[in-house]
Amino acid sequence: MPVVPTLTLNNGVAIPQLGFGVFQVPLGETQRVVEDALEAGYRHIDTAAAYGNEAAVGAAIAACGIPRDDLFITTKLRNGEQAIAAEAFEASRRALGLDVIDLYLIHWPVPSAGLFVDVWRVLEKIYAADGVRAIGVSNFLQEHLDTLLAETTIVPAVDQIEIHPTFQQAALSAKARTLGIAIEAYSPLGQGADLNAAAVTALARKRGVSPAQVVIGWHLGIGDIVIPKSTHLDRMTENLAAAAITLDRDELAAITALESGARIGTDPAKASHSQM
Ligand code: A2P
């Protein structure tokens, strides 16, 4: 099994840099898929209340027999529950069957609701009460990070945002890193679309690896935490093996050159309270 590097978050907590995401994994398949991912060697699983599959993730965790301390589990606060964040956190903890969540994120800033600063203060309390080992945000743009940093105490450990070769958010990533906020890439393969880019397939041929391994190797090389998903065990194994690939500077640059502003998900400035 490949050794996955760990990054140290700004509060000293270690996170496996390559994890497994379960966004869009069908509910009926989630327990099997997470059990397969754990069997393949993943130890970092990323879910969210809004995905509706926390209980299935929890069932896989309970069934796997892996010591709790060897696992790193992330979940996220649903937009529609920002006004009841403390209760929502408890519900997530129950659904996952865990006393302590490793990383809890505000899923979207929902600026139109004007709640994210208050929500962050609730997460700070949950952190102080040891309900969670690290707290962070997702889909926060620079202006949202600036507001949080100006008005609250704890600097988010991570900002989980859409990043893949054709949509990199490089300025936001660079700014977050200067603030001590680690960047986590979601939809890291561009939901599969970026695997067909000519620069990716050419580099895959040259290195004798798969296009997904090139793209995951690129994320690891630029310092992202990355959470690819697949419902297929062979692809889970293939993706995890990318931990052993080190792209050189020119190879990284060839993939970075694919930036084309191809956002797949919702613009965080516009994501609504009812969504997710
Ligand atoms: P599948 O689940 O059928 O394997 P992202 O993580 O960016 O959201 O991308 C997930 C998409 O990429 C899914 O459609 C998944 O399909 C596909 N995918 C994941 N790993 C691979 C791989 N190694 N090769 C090809 N497609 C992959």
Side-chain angles (χ1 to χ4, degrees):
M1 248 176 234
V3 176
V4 172
T6 55
L7 294 186
T8 303
L9 301 175
N10 62 12
N11 65 348
V13 166
I15 182 171
Q17 194 182 356
L18 175 52
F20 185 79
V22 297
F23 175 49
Q24 289 176 335
V25 175
L27 182 56
E29 281 187 72
T30 303
Q31 182 175 348
R32 189 276 301 166
V33 162
V34 174
E35 286 180 11
D36 281 355
L38 294 168
E39 182 68 30
Y42 292 87
R43 292 295 178 264
H44 166 185
I45 307 291
D46 182 280
T47 185
Y51 305 163
N53 56 19
E54 286 173 312
V57 171
I61 293 169
C64 73
I66 297 167
R68 171 67 185 94
D69 288 353
D70 292 352
L71 299 174
F72 190 100
I73 310 296
T74 300
T75 194
K76 314 186 190 82
L77 173 69
R78 189 196 298 269
N79 292 354
E81 296 184 328
Q82 287 195 344
I84 52 161
E87 292 93 319
F89 175 75
E90 291 307 331
S92 284
R93 224 170 18 174
R94 272 197 306 276
L96 285 162
L98 299 176
D99 292 333
V100 178
I101 304 292
D102 294 285
L103 178 62
Y104 193 52
L105 308 180
I106 301 179
H107 205 149
W108 294 83
V110 198
S112 60
L115 288 172
F116 69 78
V117 170
D118 290 340
V119 173
W120 187 250
R121 294 196 179 109
V122 175
L123 266 60
E124 288 181 330
K125 285 196 186 123
I126 293 169
Y127 178 69
D130 294 328
V132 60
R133 297 174 65 226
I135 52 175
V137 295
S138 182
N139 294 297
F140 273 45
L141 302 175
Q142 188 170 329
E143 69 230 51
H144 311 128
L145 293 175
D146 289 344
T147 302
L148 263 199
L149 265 51
E151 299 192 30
T152 64
T153 309
I154 299 178
V155 176
V158 310
D159 190 2
Q160 184 181 118
I161 57 178
E162 178 182 338
I163 301 184
H164 42 91
T166 58
F167 185 70
Q168 298 173 29
Q169 308 209 63
L172 173 57
S173 294
K175 174 71 181 174
R177 287 198 178 96
T178 67
L179 297 169
I181 301 169
I183 289 293
E184 276 195 278
Y186 75 73
S187 298
L189 309 176
Q191 298 188 3
D194 284 11
L195 302 179
N196 301 317
V200 171
T201 54
L203 184 50
R205 266 195 307 278
K206 182 186 131 200
R207 295 283 302 239
V209 300
S210 74
Q213 289 175 326
V214 165
V215 173
I216 295 165
W218 172 80
H219 282 284
L220 297 173
I222 65 170
D224 296 345
I225 300 160
V226 59
I227 48 169
K229 83 172 116 343
S230 174
T231 53
H232 299 97
L233 179 56
D234 55 343
R235 287 175 170 176
M236 296 175 197
T237 301
E238 172 189 324
N239 295 350
L240 193 67
I245 295 169
T246 305
L247 300 182
D248 68 27
R249 203 180 49 181
D250 291 344
E251 291 170 333
L252 290 173
I255 305 305
T256 299
L258 289 170
E259 169 66 57
S260 63
R263 188 194 286 283
I264 297 169
T266 307
D267 180 347
K270 299 185 188 130
S272 74
H273 207 236
S274 56
Q275 181 191 12
M276 305 289 281

